[in-house]
Amino acid sequence: MLDTAALVRSVQLDLQEHPDYPAWTDEHFSEMLRAAMDQLALVRPEAFQRVASVALQRGVTHHIPEDGVRLIEVTANVDQGLPGEAVTRVDGATMARFDPAWRSRPEADQVDHYLWDERQPRVFHTVPAVRSGTRVQIVYIQQPPAFEVGEYPTLEQMPSHYREPLRHWMLYRAWLKGTRPGIEPKAQAHYEWFYHALGEKVPTSQRVDPRTQEPHQRA
């Protein structure tokens, strides 16, 4: 679990030496947090991984919840609210070869297998077709949550070790907003610490200057 309100308070303490800090409001900090979550979702989408029990529509074709961007796995059937028999992934070409009529088989109340194609990341298919309301447990990537200015959310399923990367990206955005001499190196340091905290190599091509939203060449 990650408490973003506590994260924002930590960033505020870190920024007390920033010359523009006294003028910043919840709107500024909310923008920094949104930018940090968007960047984390870009670099480490699994940070927004969610496990959910979902009710399926009738048939073989299904979609992940509206807040999702990509399916990771269909793990199990759900029986009386609890995970039951496992669901395994199969390849579409294999199904077409060994059971060409699989889509037209009788409907069931339980899923044996699922098919997923990364070209349609929000869609998956079940074998066999199911009756409406059949439930399965899935793992999927959720969009970074929307929130109102100053209403900092608690990210229930996000591991706490993502706190530091988020903090560094917020500080990167904050320091890069300044125009006074000596501010750029502070921004660059937090930019690099964001990637180091994730165990990632720091990109060496370009980054975006939030003052202009234009690509900014790294030194």
Side-chain angles (χ1 to χ4, degrees), residues 17-78:
E17 63 178 289
H18 194 295
D20 298 327
Y21 172 77
W24 286 348
T25 65
D26 272 332
E27 185 173 354
H28 293 90
F29 289 106
S30 295
E31 183 276 331
M32 293 175 201
L33 178 59
R34 290 191 189 99
M37 290 195 294
D38 286 345
Q39 184 66 16
L40 181 61
L42 183 66
V43 178
R44 281 290 179 84
E46 64 270 24
F48 294 91
Q49 180 173 292
R50 184 183 179 194
V51 179
S53 169
V54 296
L56 303 178
Q57 296 180 331
R58 180 184 180 186
V60 299
T61 302
H62 314 283
H63 295 78
I64 62 176
E66 289 296 322
D67 65 351
V69 295
R70 182 179 184 270
L71 178 75
I72 297 297
E73 185 181 14
V74 180
T75 57
N77 289 276
V78 173

Side-chain angles (χ1 to χ4, degrees), residues 177-209:
K177 288 177 182 291
T179 58
R180 302 185 188 188
I183 283 182
E184 169 71 17
K186 289 180 179 289
Q188 182 168 320
H190 286 293
Y191 175 87
E192 294 176 357
W193 289 338
F194 168 83
Y195 288 99
H196 292 323
L198 292 172
E200 296 283 343
K201 184 178 179 180
V202 178
T204 56
S205 55
Q206 293 180 329
R207 56 185 165 84
V208 173
D209 186 335

Side-chain angles (χ1 to χ4, degrees), residues 94-114:
T94 301
M95 288 301 302
R97 179 181 177 187
F98 290 100
D99 188 4
W102 67 270
R103 291 177 180 270
S104 59
R105 299 297 183 197
E107 296 173 355
D109 294 318
Q110 183 165 297
V111 176
D112 296 325
H113 311 290
Y114 77 98

Side-chain angles (χ1 to χ4, degrees), residues 10-23:
S10 172
V11 169
Q12 289 171 336
L13 289 173
D14 287 335
L15 287 173
Q16 286 185 0
E17 63 178 289
H18 194 295
D20 298 327
Y21 172 77

Side-chain angles (χ1 to χ4, degrees), residues 155-188:
L155 307 178
E156 297 286 349
Q157 296 197 30
M158 179 177 286
S160 59
H161 63 258
Y162 288 113
R163 181 180 185 276
E164 279 304 289
L166 288 171
R167 185 176 73 86
H168 284 304
W169 197 264
M170 291 179 69
L171 291 168
Y172 159 67
R173 297 280 297 196
W175 283 108
L176 207 54
K177 288 177 182 291
T179 58
R180 302 185 188 188
I183 283 182
E184 169 71 17
K186 289 180 179 289
Q188 182 168 320

